[in-house]
Amino acid sequence: MEIIRSVDEMVAISRKIKAEGKTIGFVPTMGFLHQGHISLIKNARKENEIVAVSVFVNPTQFGPNEDLENYPRNEEKDLELCAEAGCDYIFIPKPVDMYREGYNTYVEVFGITEGLCGASRPGHFRGVCTVVFKLFNIIKPTKAYFGQKDAQQLAVIKKMVRELNADIEIIGCPIIREADGLALSSRNTYLTKDEREQALVLSKSLKLAKELIDSGMIEVSEIKEEMLRLISTAKDSEVDYIEFVDNYDLKPLNRIDRSNQVLIALAVKIGKTRLIDNMVV
Ligand code: AMP
């Protein structure tokens, strides 16, 4: 596995790989890797000749009061996990190299970025789209892998690629969870032992929603009420949102209707840590 820290060097390498006619599978991450990230890398490994992973805590996707400075980092372990998972290139650029002096170009997808996480994190998806598009131009992937964990991000990236005619296949990969249901996330490291226990209300409330739907409940407001009741049993919880939306265009739904895939997405703060989870029914 080669470690690349310079944008120009990465561009030269991917240009050469493409000239040789090889396929590149790409997994963008912010590091502090866990088995969720590794599952994306393993999928990329199966389907491509070359696998590249980026580790970049992208400043433009963090709001002024978010955790950019404190975002967890562990480069040594990231390198170890990437090598183990069969990655060929790990790209770890510096913010000053990605955003050079005077940088002033952004990619913005409108509409589907306004609800869910976009509502409480203004500018977040503009930062995500910008960095992902830049990384696509640097790495030139054949296929790029994203987790369903960030369901809105996945939908936004698919829309961006479609609408900007980027010649890249976007592959969504399932959410990897702990045995007790907690979705793996780099931010889980912020949780105290007690908060870690309380954080189970996210996956439990999704499971409850599925059970209610399976038992015939179709009114979203009624299902939401039951989910809120369950979440309120966690003493340090504060719900940011619970939304039922169409899984394709993320438009809000009022009733469960067998004709579309419903994405049930939620963001809940447990103590100071904002966690997200979702389920498609
Ligand atoms: P991040 O490092 O948080 O930006 O995540 C990088 C990629 O890993 C994104 O496409 C995430 O959706 C994906 N990812 C993060 N957590 C999980 C998980 N528990 N299961 C599957 N994919 C995940």
Side-chain angles (χ1 to χ4, degrees), residues 258-272:
R258 301 274 159 202
S259 67
N260 37 14
Q261 276 200 336
V262 181
L263 170 71
I264 310 176
L266 75 170
V268 180
K269 268 176 89 178
I270 302 289
K272 288 194 170 67

Side-chain angles (χ1 to χ4, degrees), residues 232-270:
S232 69
T233 61
K235 64 179 186 334
D236 303 313
S237 69
E238 187 190 324
V239 174
D240 176 359
Y241 66 80
I242 300 178
E243 296 285 352
F244 288 59
V245 298
D246 181 282
N247 193 33
Y248 181 73
D249 58 18
L250 308 189
K251 291 229 165 75
L253 301 168
N254 294 324
R255 326 178 110 223
I256 305 298
D257 171 348
R258 301 274 159 202
S259 67
N260 37 14
Q261 276 200 336
V262 181
L263 170 71
I264 310 176
L266 75 170
V268 180
K269 268 176 89 178
I270 302 289

Side-chain angles (χ1 to χ4, degrees), residues 93-134:
K94 288 192 180 59
V96 288
D97 200 10
M98 287 293 278
Y99 299 106
R100 293 185 187 167
E101 210 184 317
Y103 189 91
N104 211 1
T105 303
Y106 294 89
V107 180
E108 192 154 6
V109 176
F110 295 91
I112 67 169
T113 53
E114 282 152 27
L116 306 171
C117 287
S120 53
R121 302 188 71 187
H124 170 68
F125 288 110
R126 178 183 190 250
V128 168
C129 288
T130 301
V131 80
V132 167
F133 209 80
K134 283 170 69 66

Side-chain angles (χ1 to χ4, degrees), residues 28-30 34 36-37 40 146-147 149-150 153 174-176 184:
T29 82
M30 298 206 298
H34 51 64
H37 300 110
L40 307 188
F146 292 83
K149 162 85 186 340
D150 298 272
Q153 171 174 280
I175 303 178
I176 304 299
L184 296 189

